[in-house]
Amino acid sequence: MRNHRLDITPTSGALGAIIEGIDLSEPLEDAEIAEMRGALNDHGVIFFRDQKITPEQHIAFAERFGNIDVNRFFKAAAGYPQVAEVRKEPGQKTNIGGGWHTDHSYDQVPALGSILLARETPTRGGDTLFACMNRAYEALSDGLKKTLEGLRAVHSSRHVFGEKSSYAKDAGDRLGNADAATQDAVHPVVLRHPESGKKILYVNSGFTTHFVGWTAEESAPLLRYLYEHAARPEFQYRFQWHDGSIAFWDNRSTWHYAVNDYDGERRLMHRITIAGGPLE
Ligand SMILES: O=C(O)CCC(=O)C(=O)O
Ligand SMILES: [Fe+2]
């Protein structure tokens, strides 16, 4: 029985924490899982280094936090339908997730988060940026906060994963199931995080299409302002991967952006997504 607390160190002023001195291939105690959950609520994304875990151990770890949400658009790792592959081959130009977004906001009940494990990393580059949507919300003026409190936004998967999407086309066989891209969901623009209770700005440039009751054209200038504001470096942390690194992000309170700067090299990640609860 381990009786020490986890070694948790924040990674920036905005978000992120690294958890050291723990081997995720070993059975974890309930208290350790609870502490990780707490760290995820406090910091938005938690990181681990040098984890030599099998896909089975990755799945077992994820299941300690909830049910697995199998993404219908990502190609799965061979033999493991629960594990989505995030891959870029040396000959490929586009990457997966190369713009600010939160995953699954097009679902009525968006995922809690994802546990992304680096299997094969390029010699340099291929970092992932994270941004804190609580900080972004808190830094807005009282006037704009009040306006946003009354708004709801539509989020869609169609323009990203659907038949007509150039992103899905460029991704080739890494994405699929385009005819399942029929989800649209409506969420408040400002959420109270279901676990931490913190207020978060909940729109993202990947999936949000417009405000409810506004046209796309009317919505665009305010959305553009919010995207620029929320992408300020003060709200970010940039994570450098090595083989065996893990990032476990909260998919409600953070955005992420996979940097595509390693042409000619392979990058292969395994992602397991955990189902979330209702947002309102
Ligand atoms: O590859 C990455 O760093 C993140 C890609 C991404 O957006 C995701 O896995 O949801
Ligand atoms: Fe993503």
Side-chain angles (χ1 to χ4, degrees):
M1 161 124 182
R2 280 185 224 100
N3 53 13
H4 59 85
R5 287 171 56 85
L6 295 181
D7 180 359
I8 303 172
T9 311
T11 50
S12 82
L15 81 168
I18 177 130
I19 301 186
E20 290 167 300
I22 191 141
D23 179 350
L24 301 183
S25 71
E26 286 177 6
L28 300 176
E29 292 167 21
D30 288 346
E32 290 169 324
I33 297 294
E35 242 187 290
M36 289 181 194
R37 251 184 197 282
L40 194 60
N41 285 333
D42 290 346
H43 303 286
V45 48
I46 53 179
F47 304 104
F48 303 87
R49 295 284 190 192
D50 303 314
Q51 299 295 327
K52 294 181 180 60
I53 59 173
T54 63
E56 286 81 0
Q57 288 165 337
H58 189 184
I59 292 166
F61 178 55
E63 283 175 336
R64 299 292 297 275
F65 296 92
N67 295 323
I68 292 177
D69 185 332
V70 177
N71 190 294
R72 45 208 173 284
F73 306 117
F74 281 72
K75 187 174 170 188
Y80 301 98
Q82 307 95 321
V83 180
E85 257 187 22
V86 179
R87 176 191 287 274
K88 184 175 174 238
E89 288 295 332
Q92 291 174 324
K93 287 283 174 216
T94 46
N95 71 337
I96 306 278
W100 284 116
H101 66 284
T102 73
D103 303 329
H104 286 251
S105 71
Y106 49 81
D107 286 335
Q108 203 48 61
V109 179
L112 177 156
S114 282
I115 303 177
L116 189 68
L117 162 66
R119 289 284 177 203
E120 205 176 328
T121 47
T123 50
R124 58 185 166 68
D127 297 353
T128 304
L129 278 68
F130 295 89
C132 175
M133 290 306 111
N134 168 248
R135 293 261 172 162
Y137 170 77
E138 293 298 344
L140 295 169
S141 68
D142 289 343
L144 185 49
K145 278 182 186 156
K146 207 172 273 169
T147 300
L148 296 179
E149 292 280 355
L151 292 179
R152 295 153 71 77
V154 178
H155 301 247
S156 180
S157 62
R158 295 166 204 267
H159 61 288
V160 181
F161 298 115
E163 308 276 1
K164 295 194 187 107
S165 159
S166 58
Y167 169 72
K169 205 160 135 248
D170 289 345
D173 66 359
R174 292 175 286 172
L175 296 176
N177 222 6
D179 49 7
T182 54
Q183 301 79 17
D184 289 325
V186 171
H187 302 294
V189 170
V190 179
L191 290 180
R192 224 176 240 295
H193 188 278
E195 280 135 59
S196 72
K198 286 188 251 183
K199 283 197 172 173
I200 52 185
L201 180 64
Y202 196 68
V203 287
N204 72 88
S205 64
F207 300 111
T208 308
T209 57
H210 61 284
F211 298 114
V212 172
W214 300 29
T215 65
E217 290 71 22
E218 289 167 340
S219 305
L222 179 51
L223 284 173
R224 194 177 320 118
Y225 175 77
L226 294 172
Y227 298 156
E228 268 172 32
H229 164 81
R232 278 169 52 187
E234 287 78 6
F235 310 140
Q236 293 179 21
Y237 175 65
R238 179 174 182 137
F239 185 65
Q240 280 181 307
W241 298 90
H242 304 287
D243 295 2
S245 301
I246 288 178
F248 180 177
W249 63 81
D250 183 307
N251 202 45
R252 289 78 52 101
S253 64
T254 65
W255 283 355
H256 57 276
Y257 182 132
V259 179
N260 188 9
D261 61 351
Y262 52 95
D263 272 3
E265 295 198 68
R266 174 178 294 116
R267 182 174 180 276
L268 174 63
M269 320 291 274
H270 277 179
R271 190 182 95 177
I272 302 183
T273 298
I274 298 154
L279 292 181
E280 292 178 82

